[in-house]
Amino acid sequence: MSEEAIRLLTQQVAELTRRMTVQEDIHSIRTLQFKYGYYMDKGLYDEVVDLFAVDGELHFMGGIFRGKAGLRRLYCDRLRNSFTDGHNGPVYGLLADHMQLQDIVDVGRDGCTAKGRFRAFLQGGSHETKESINPRLPLQWWEAGVYENEYVKEGGVWRIKTLDYYMFWQADFETGWAHSKPYEGHFFAKTYPEDPGGPDQLTDRVPGFWPETPLVDFHYNHPVTGKPWIRGRSDGRRKES
Amino acid sequence: MSEEAIRLLTQQVAELTRRMTVQEDIHSIRTLQFKYGYYMDKGLYDEVVDLFAVDGELHFMGGIFRGKAGLRRLYCDRLRNSFTDGHNGPVYGLLADHMQLQDIVDVGRDGCTAKGRFRAFLQGGSHETKESINPRLPLQWWEAGVYENEYVKEGGVWRIKTLDYYMFWQADFETGWAHSKPYEGHFFAKTYPEDPGGPDQLTDRVPGFWPETPLVDFHYNHPVTGKPWIRGRSDGRRKES
Amino acid sequence: MSEEAIRLLTQQVAELTRRMTVQEDIHSIRTLQFKYGYYMDKGLYDEVVDLFAVDGELHFMGGIFRGKAGLRRLYCDRLRNSFTDGHNGPVYGLLADHMQLQDIVDVGRDGCTAKGRFRAFLQGGSHETKESINPRLPLQWWEAGVYENEYVKEGGVWRIKTLDYYMFWQADFETGWAHSKPYEGHFFAKTYPEDPGGPDQLTDRVPGFWPETPLVDFHYNHPVTGKPWIRGRSDGRRKES
């Protein structure tokens, strides 16, 4: 009788421990991504790169940056030069607020991989009193997008495995999204080392920016029906004709 | 001695299981609402209706839409025609970002009902290159509001029981909330089927929009004092005289 | 044999109970802060003060307000007079939306203290039809900042111990953050009672506002490397020369 009770309790405690770990993992991952945002706000690119797994990668503007070397090439060389004049930390008169919200984190059955969808909402720009203003950035802009990221637990610590940001729109502060010009930001056309600041690989993904309105595939099934998301659905990419 | 220890452990495990389920339920419900936002962003109205319970309802613009038939009448007929030209999915040049944030979810003692307060922050509008622009929508606008929703767990799955959105303000991108005109959006005056796209019932709730600043009753007691929220408090509805 | 099994189960249940309590505490604290935001939206200053511990404090604009008397002096006297004409609740034509997001909550080892970083994003202003418009407030503005707060659990209930808001920038709706004027808001120069609405103590913290871009120290170590945050780093405060 007590042997049986002990066997049942042991099973229940094991199952509770598994469920507890999932909730703790979700909390770790959502705050990991939120911390990414706080570091990006302030140009702390060294700290950003440290959030990634050793074999982590970043999908950005048509390129894939792989491993710590690739990540440093993008964050610590290219972005740091564009935004904070090569300084690891904020600079006078440069705003790059990276709000992170609306977290959907799902931990895999294996307990050591996870996927997360987040929304980004950005305020960027330069103050009129800043001496050197990067001519490739809008003077002041709003930006919105979605991440579909992957995370990995190594040595008991969650890290970013793949950061994949889909920028949806940018709008000049003065004129708004009704009048956004076609996106003129950078797309990578060559890989490293041919392009010294280029990615390790080019993606074959066709980028779509506002006024196109592409869908970013959901990593999760519909939460009520359980239906998987079907890729390749009609997605607002074609211009009306 | 061990009988007593086993009895105590059994009680503790039961209590832990109950507490674990509450935390899991909170996580399920907050992400359910966040997924609502991601679907609304992209005009996925079929997926939105699937988030509701069979007897779910929507309180919207002075009307209550009941059950799947009522919900489809609002989301899949009226909104889909207004926003995405009858297409289930995003269309070129139409922005309807529905940020969902600041979640307060409380699961009932019964474990199968819950209430949730969320904030919405929206960016809507049409791009100047969109061919057919809905004349009943502002060209580009900011919007903010609060939900006080109810959820129900059926078959182990959380669903939206009642979605109740209180739109607080809309502001044209160009002129802002200091100059918002009195809200001219739709209010339902007739029910279905007299109004083919109308609600099943009209509410007696007096809507209040900015520059009025109505309170939306809190579903929760004050978190520190435990005092219940008293309805009918002075709430910024009366214009200064 | 069963004695040993029971001893192990008892340990495991105690550890699970501890972990469960941490997750519940995180949930309580993040929603406590979110409720602060909902009350601030609507000028519910009495309810705001009730969120604090008896010896709670607020760091605000160069001053520290201590205990319920100090908190009421700031929230219920000064802010309530500035924003809602002395009324506890919203008033016609005054917008003060306090979005709260990007929560990082860490509970101390003692289980009764905690720290939390949050982001605030505000929309404030007066409608053109409001009769008495406070001349010390911008007509309509965007604002962003970060909290680094402390919380305390007393009698089983989490309360705000220290609310410490770092306002980063304000921008007029019309002209944006590229053209923000130097911050002209209030700084406290005298303490109470010499200044009847003043703080109990002045801080020696040098405030820094946009176009300066000060770092707000992180209460947490780097989530992957575990490195503690080093205070006093170069932080965008110095104007370019």
Side-chain angles (χ1 to χ4, degrees):
Chain A
M1 163 66 189
S2 16
E3 287 298 320
E4 179 55 28
I6 289 172
R7 197 166 14 247
L8 182 63
L9 278 169
T10 302
Q11 282 174 7
Q12 289 173 330
V13 166
E15 175 63 7
L16 271 179
T17 302
R18 191 195 62 75
R19 291 165 65 184
M20 176 61 72
T21 304
V22 170
Q23 292 301 309
E24 290 170 341
D25 286 344
I26 290 169
H27 178 67
S28 293
I29 294 164
R30 62 190 294 280
T31 56
L32 179 65
Q33 185 64 37
F34 290 171
K35 290 169 185 176
Y36 173 86
Y38 286 124
Y39 291 145
M40 288 296 289
D41 288 351
K42 296 297 181 182
L44 293 164
Y45 298 110
D46 289 345
E47 284 77 0
V48 166
V49 169
D50 281 342
L51 295 173
F52 284 80
V54 171
D55 62 346
E57 54 187 55
L58 173 72
H59 294 220
F60 185 70
M61 297 294 125
I64 304 177
F65 295 81
R66 290 224 162 84
K68 295 288 179 172
L71 293 166
R72 290 193 67 82
R73 207 157 60 237
L74 193 280
Y75 283 113
C76 302
D77 296 342
R78 186 178 287 268
L79 292 184
R80 190 149 71 191
N81 286 330
S82 291
F83 281 86
T84 59
D85 311 326
H87 170 72
N88 194 66
V91 293
Y92 176 91
L94 191 284
L95 186 71
D97 279 4
H98 279 67
M99 294 189 187
Q100 309 283 301
L101 64 158
Q102 213 169 324
D103 50 293
I104 311 276
V105 172
D106 293 285
V107 179
R109 289 248 140 221
D110 59 12
C112 60
T113 60
K115 295 186 176 180
R117 190 182 186 93
F118 289 83
R119 188 194 284 277
F121 184 56
L122 275 64
Q123 299 85 47
S126 300
H127 193 262
E128 60 183 21
T129 59
K130 186 176 194 292
E131 284 199 354
S132 63
I133 294 185
N134 185 337
R136 297 194 310 176
L137 296 178
L139 178 62
Q140 55 180 338
W141 78 97
W142 299 101
E143 179 178 323
V146 157
Y147 303 92
E148 271 285 356
N149 296 340
E150 299 183 12
Y151 305 88
V152 62
K153 195 180 197 175
E154 293 172 352
V157 176
W158 284 98
R159 299 153 205 258
I160 302 172
K161 177 65 168 67
T162 304
L163 192 97
D164 199 349
Y165 176 54
Y166 299 77
M167 195 262 275
F168 281 151
W169 53 265
Q170 284 188 334
D172 283 343
F173 186 95
E174 290 79 5
T175 50
W177 47 84
H179 308 290
S180 295
K181 290 181 217 71
Y183 182 67
E184 293 175 348
H186 192 79
F187 289 100
F188 294 102
K190 298 176 185 172
T191 54
Y192 176 85
E194 192 182 358
D195 175 353
D200 297 283
Q201 187 183 330
L202 301 179
T203 58
D204 55 1
R205 198 161 78 195
V206 181
F209 299 105
W210 173 254
E212 295 188 0
T213 53
L215 280 168
V216 173
D217 288 324
F218 304 95
H219 74 260
Y220 45 85
N221 295 345
H222 190 281
V224 171
T225 67
K227 281 185 207 158
W229 174 252
I230 307 299
R231 289 170 176 263
R233 295 180 41 165
S234 173
D235 63 0
R237 288 214 174 160
R238 286 185 302 278
K239 183 161 175 178
E240 294 172 336
S241 61
Chain B
M1 164 67 191
S2 28
E3 286 299 318
E4 179 55 28
I6 289 172
R7 195 163 18 245
L8 182 61
L9 278 169
T10 302
Q11 282 174 8
Q12 289 172 330
V13 166
E15 175 62 8
L16 272 179
T17 302
R18 190 194 62 75
R19 290 165 66 184
M20 176 62 72
T21 304
V22 170
Q23 292 300 309
E24 291 170 341
D25 286 345
I26 290 169
H27 177 68
S28 293
I29 293 163
R30 63 190 293 281
T31 56
L32 178 66
Q33 184 65 36
F34 290 170
K35 290 170 185 176
Y36 173 86
Y38 285 124
Y39 290 146
M40 288 296 289
D41 287 351
K42 295 298 181 181
L44 293 165
Y45 299 110
D46 289 345
E47 285 76 2
V48 165
V49 169
D50 280 342
L51 295 173
F52 284 79
V54 170
D55 62 347
E57 55 186 55
L58 173 71
H59 294 219
F60 185 71
M61 297 294 125
I64 304 177
F65 296 81
R66 290 225 163 84
K68 295 289 179 171
L71 293 166
R72 291 193 67 82
R73 206 157 60 235
L74 193 280
Y75 283 112
C76 302
D77 295 342
R78 185 178 287 268
L79 293 184
R80 190 149 70 193
N81 286 331
S82 291
F83 281 85
T84 58
D85 311 326
H87 171 72
N88 195 65
V91 294
Y92 176 92
L94 191 285
L95 187 71
D97 278 4
H98 279 67
M99 293 190 188
Q100 309 281 302
L101 65 158
Q102 212 170 325
D103 50 293
I104 311 275
V105 173
D106 293 285
V107 178
R109 289 249 139 222
D110 59 11
C112 60
T113 61
K115 295 185 176 181
R117 190 181 186 94
F118 289 82
R119 188 194 284 278
F121 184 56
L122 274 64
Q123 299 84 48
S126 300
H127 193 262
E128 59 183 21
T129 59
K130 187 176 192 292
E131 284 200 353
S132 62
I133 294 185
N134 185 337
R136 298 194 310 178
L137 296 177
L139 178 63
Q140 54 181 339
W141 78 97
W142 299 100
E143 179 179 322
V146 158
Y147 303 92
E148 271 284 357
N149 295 340
E150 299 184 12
Y151 304 88
V152 63
K153 195 180 197 175
E154 292 173 353
V157 176
W158 284 99
R159 300 152 204 259
I160 302 172
K161 177 66 167 67
T162 304
L163 192 97
D164 199 349
Y165 176 54
Y166 299 77
M167 195 264 275
F168 281 150
W169 53 266
Q170 284 188 335
D172 283 344
F173 185 95
E174 290 79 5
T175 51
W177 46 84
H179 308 291
S180 295
K181 290 182 217 73
Y183 182 67
E184 292 176 348
H186 192 79
F187 290 100
F188 293 102
K190 297 176 185 171
T191 54
Y192 176 84
E194 191 181 358
D195 175 352
D200 295 283
Q201 187 183 330
L202 301 178
T203 58
D204 56 1
R205 197 161 80 195
V206 181
F209 299 104
W210 173 253
E212 296 187 0
T213 53
L215 280 168
V216 173
D217 289 325
F218 304 96
H219 74 260
Y220 44 85
N221 296 345
H222 190 281
V224 171
T225 66
K227 282 185 206 158
W229 174 251
I230 308 299
R231 289 169 176 263
R233 296 180 42 164
S234 173
D235 64 0
R237 289 215 174 161
R238 284 186 303 277
K239 185 163 175 178
E240 294 171 335
S241 60
Chain C
M1 162 67 190
S2 24
E3 286 299 319
E4 179 54 29
I6 288 172
R7 196 165 16 246
L8 182 62
L9 278 169
T10 302
Q11 282 173 8
Q12 289 173 330
V13 165
E15 175 62 8
L16 271 179
T17 302
R18 191 195 61 74
R19 291 165 66 186
M20 175 62 72
T21 303
V22 170
Q23 292 301 309
E24 291 170 342
D25 285 345
I26 290 170
H27 177 67
S28 293
I29 293 164
R30 61 190 296 279
T31 56
L32 179 66
Q33 185 65 36
F34 289 170
K35 289 170 185 175
Y36 173 86
Y38 286 124
Y39 290 145
M40 289 296 289
D41 288 350
K42 295 298 181 181
L44 294 164
Y45 298 110
D46 289 345
E47 285 76 1
V48 165
V49 169
D50 281 342
L51 295 173
F52 284 80
V54 170
D55 62 347
E57 56 186 54
L58 172 72
H59 294 219
F60 185 71
M61 297 294 125
I64 304 177
F65 295 82
R66 289 225 164 83
K68 295 288 180 173
L71 293 165
R72 291 193 67 82
R73 207 157 61 236
L74 192 281
Y75 283 112
C76 302
D77 296 341
R78 185 178 287 268
L79 292 184
R80 189 148 72 193
N81 286 330
S82 290
F83 281 85
T84 60
D85 311 326
H87 170 72
N88 194 66
V91 294
Y92 176 91
L94 192 284
L95 187 71
D97 278 4
H98 280 66
M99 293 189 188
Q100 309 282 301
L101 65 158
Q102 214 169 323
D103 50 293
I104 311 276
V105 173
D106 293 285
V107 179
R109 288 249 140 221
D110 59 12
C112 59
T113 60
K115 295 186 176 180
R117 189 181 186 93
F118 290 82
R119 187 194 283 278
F121 184 57
L122 274 64
Q123 299 84 48
S126 300
H127 193 262
E128 61 183 21
T129 59
K130 186 175 193 293
E131 285 200 354
S132 62
I133 294 185
N134 186 336
R136 298 194 310 176
L137 296 178
L139 178 62
Q140 54 181 338
W141 78 96
W142 299 101
E143 179 179 323
V146 158
Y147 303 92
E148 271 284 356
N149 296 339
E150 299 183 12
Y151 304 88
V152 62
K153 195 179 196 175
E154 293 173 352
V157 176
W158 284 99
R159 300 152 205 259
I160 302 173
K161 177 64 169 67
T162 304
L163 192 96
D164 199 349
Y165 176 53
Y166 299 78
M167 195 263 275
F168 281 150
W169 53 264
Q170 284 188 334
D172 283 343
F173 186 94
E174 290 79 5
T175 51
W177 47 84
H179 308 290
S180 295
K181 290 181 216 72
Y183 182 68
E184 294 176 347
H186 191 79
F187 289 100
F188 294 102
K190 298 175 184 171
T191 53
Y192 176 85
E194 191 182 358
D195 175 353
D200 297 283
Q201 186 183 330
L202 301 178
T203 59
D204 56 1
R205 197 161 78 196
V206 180
F209 299 105
W210 174 253
E212 296 186 2
T213 53
L215 279 169
V216 173
D217 288 324
F218 304 95
H219 74 260
Y220 44 85
N221 296 345
H222 190 282
V224 172
T225 67
K227 281 185 206 157
W229 175 251
I230 307 299
R231 289 169 176 262
R233 296 180 40 165
S234 173
D235 64 359
R237 289 213 174 161
R238 286 185 303 277
K239 184 161 177 179
E240 295 171 336
S241 60

